[in-house]
Structures are given as C-alpha cells and as structure tokens.
Amino acid sequence: MDRPPIHRPPPAALVTALVRAGVSVGTAMAMERWKAQEVLDLLGGTHSASRSGDEGFARPA
C-alpha cells in the first residue's frame, strides 16, 4: 500500500509575506509552496519567495 504524500509547509519567508498580506498563519502553513506563492501573487504581495523550490512543478508563464 502506498503512503500518502507528506505535507511540507512553504518556506518561512513566504509564510511571513502571506501573513503581512492578511492570511492567517494557520492557513499559510496549510498551503503547499506553489499555492502559497500563487495566493501571494494574487493578493499583490511584493515579496517573491524563492521560486527555485518548485519541487518539480511547472509554473505557468
């Protein structure tokens, strides 16, 4: 039987940027890294956390 994937919260810098943008810490920590970056972009956050940690996921251009 396959084990479910392990959730890895986004980097601390990205969580901090989300909190500054108005997202709760719990919500920010529950997101996957790519989704946290997407939400920050949509909220107009000025901080672009490291995008090199895409973990193999392609980001749309």
Side-chain angles (χ1 to χ4, degrees):
M1 178 157 70
D2 292 334
R3 298 180 83 184
I6 297 173
H7 171 71
R8 287 181 272 171
L14 187 50
V15 172
T16 300
L18 284 167
V19 170
R20 287 184 185 152
V23 176
S24 73
V25 173
T27 299
M29 293 295 288
M31 293 181 194
E32 295 295 330
R33 197 224 55 80
W34 64 270
K35 180 54 78 176
Q37 183 64 56
E38 183 176 81
V39 169
L40 185 61
D41 292 346
L42 289 171
L43 290 172
T46 58
H47 184 277
S48 260
S50 171
R51 291 184 185 222
S52 62
D54 278 350
E55 301 173 15
F57 294 106
R59 287 191 47 90

